[in-house]
Amino acid sequence: ITTTLLFPPQHRSTVYMVYGMLAVFCTMGLTYMMLILSHCILLYSIAMVKQKWLCFVAGLVSLATFKLEPVSSWQNGFVTGNFDLQDVLFFGGSGFTIMRCMSFALENYEKKDGNYTFLDLLKYNFYLPFFFFGPIMTFDKFHVQANNPDLTRKERELWNIRVSALLHLGAIVVVDMFFHFLYILTIPSDMKLLKNLSDWSLAGLAYSNLVYDWVKAAVMFGVINTVSRLDHLDPPQPPKCITMLYVFAETHFDRGINDWLCKYVYDYLGENHDSIRKELMATISTFAITTLWLGPCDIVYIWSVCNCFGLNFELWVAKFFQLEPFATMENAMPEAMSRRIRGVFNAANFWAIVLYNVLSLNSLEFAKLVARRLIIKGFPLSTLSVLFVTYCGVQLIKERERRLALEEEEAEKEKAE
């Protein structure tokens, strides 16, 4: 807001850049700033060649230097000082910088007339609210929004931003209370205690871990988004609530990274996601980059393989039921009955999503214990009862989504008229 009052709208992106660079310099030191600028210069130079494959290779190699030893530790040694969040800020700022530079390079490749400038890249990368923790806005969106001279706001927009800020402040307090008084994250590490819990308690604990992680992500990105909305940007939304996830295609905890991967890898290679071969190639490529982004290790490999399989398995099942006589049977049955049958598969899918993602949040041992108790030892009573409750929840979510889709369709018709 202060920037808007003191400087002309066309210069606000430059002011954001200068403020961001000064903040990074004061926080992390000159050597870190020079390290980040050196990667920006390198990837900008490659972007000028306008070769998509070269942009990808150079970007992924740069990202690997921050994710793989011994290069990662060597670069970390450039940071002066010693404070609690130093490693978090170092790897967060570095990783997001590379992803932003790759987005810049790929958008420059798509630009038909001329090239974007190095100043455009610096404005994009050093916008402070996004620098250390994301989310990532692809360069094309940021460039248009940050250089938009029209700073008028919609009716009640500031009021909505204030309400959002208060809600996230309350959420921060709730998350802090959860962290100190509820042992959601520490209980899964006590295998002796876990073995004495009931099947329902284990299922609830696994689900609670994902909900807790989603709440943390939603609060962090929500706070950042609130600040960026004050700067007249429309950032990526917080992740979709874990309770509403019943398909792998919508499963993510960082919508910015998800949008980046979908635009440049998953949707580009998978096209309409109707071909088994193209979908397999798209998912393998997507999770290969995701594995590098998260930092290669055994648990990340297992997580990536499981989620890659889940995405492909959904397509395989859909293709199977498009065959005869299943296609004819589905066309003949009422829409509500078709939705109920799909809900059964979605309920099983929900728990596959929970188990696959508990891997990355807790441990392989905890995920194996939950799976064994719910699928083998708990069968049939625990298995079927948990699936039934999940099925009811999935049906409620699907009905809500159906009504929202109808309301949006009616609103679009009214606008057209």
Side-chain angles (χ1 to χ4, degrees), residues 280-295:
L280 183 62
M281 182 172 63
T283 51
I284 290 175
S285 301
T286 299
F287 281 101
I289 295 174
T290 305
T291 299
L292 181 60
W293 166 253
L294 294 175

Side-chain angles (χ1 to χ4, degrees), residues 297-403:
C297 63
D298 291 344
I299 201 69
V300 173
Y301 295 146
I302 297 171
W303 175 87
S304 293
V305 169
C306 289
N307 282 274
C308 184
F309 169 77
L311 264 174
N312 284 278
F313 188 70
E314 285 179 345
L315 179 61
W316 299 342
V317 172
K319 286 289 187 181
F320 177 77
F321 282 102
Q322 287 174 4
L323 301 174
E324 295 296 342
F326 303 110
T328 303
M329 292 169 60
E330 184 174 10
N331 290 332
M333 68 176 62
E335 182 183 349
M337 180 58 68
S338 174
R339 193 164 60 248
R340 293 188 187 100
I341 294 174
R342 290 173 181 270
V344 174
F345 291 96
N346 294 145
N349 219 28
F350 174 85
W351 279 103
I353 292 171
V354 171
L355 292 174
Y356 291 170
N357 287 280
V358 159
L359 284 168
S360 60
L361 297 179
N362 300 115
S363 65
L364 179 60
E365 290 73 20
F366 176 60
K368 288 166 62 177
L369 177 64
V370 175
R372 194 182 310 118
R373 291 281 289 275
L374 289 182
I375 299 173
I376 301 173
K377 289 187 177 181
F379 188 84
L381 183 60
S382 296
T383 305
L384 296 180
S385 58
V386 168
L387 282 177
F388 176 73
V389 172
T390 307
Y391 167 81
C392 294
V394 167
Q395 287 297 335
L396 289 172
I397 294 166
K398 289 171 76 73
E399 179 62 20
R400 177 178 178 273
E401 290 175 345
R402 188 181 70 86
R403 291 185 177 182

Side-chain angles (χ1 to χ4, degrees), residues 239-242 244-255 257-259 261-263 266-267 271-274 279 283 286-287 303 306-315 318 346 349-350 352-353 356-357 401:
K240 191 175 181 180
C241 178
I242 183 65
M244 302 180 70
L245 296 177
Y246 52 84
V247 291
F248 277 90
E250 297 181 358
T251 304
H252 55 266
F253 289 90
D254 184 338
R255 198 182 292 265
I257 289 292
N258 181 74
D259 291 347
L261 289 168
C262 285
K263 178 172 185 178
Y266 184 58
D267 290 340
E271 296 179 352
N272 59 357
H273 304 290
D274 195 47
E279 182 73 3
T283 51
T286 299
F287 281 101
W303 175 87
C306 289
N307 282 274
C308 184
F309 169 77
L311 264 174
N312 284 278
F313 188 70
E314 285 179 345
L315 179 61
N346 294 145
N349 219 28
F350 174 85
I353 292 171
Y356 291 170
N357 287 280
E401 290 175 345

Side-chain angles (χ1 to χ4, degrees), residues 136-188:
I136 291 179
M137 281 181 71
T138 54
F139 176 76
D140 55 330
K141 294 180 180 178
F142 180 89
H143 185 70
V144 171
Q145 295 178 24
N147 292 285
N148 183 10
D150 183 12
L151 301 183
T152 57
R153 295 190 182 275
K154 298 178 182 178
E155 185 180 356
R156 297 179 64 83
E157 183 178 352
L158 272 178
W159 168 258
N160 292 332
I161 292 175
R162 293 190 189 103
V163 171
S164 177
L166 290 174
L167 288 174
H168 286 107
L169 180 62
I172 291 172
V173 174
V174 172
V175 169
D176 193 56
M177 291 175 62
F178 278 5
F179 185 77
H180 286 290
F181 298 109
L182 299 179
Y183 302 97
I184 296 173
L185 299 180
T186 54
I187 291 176

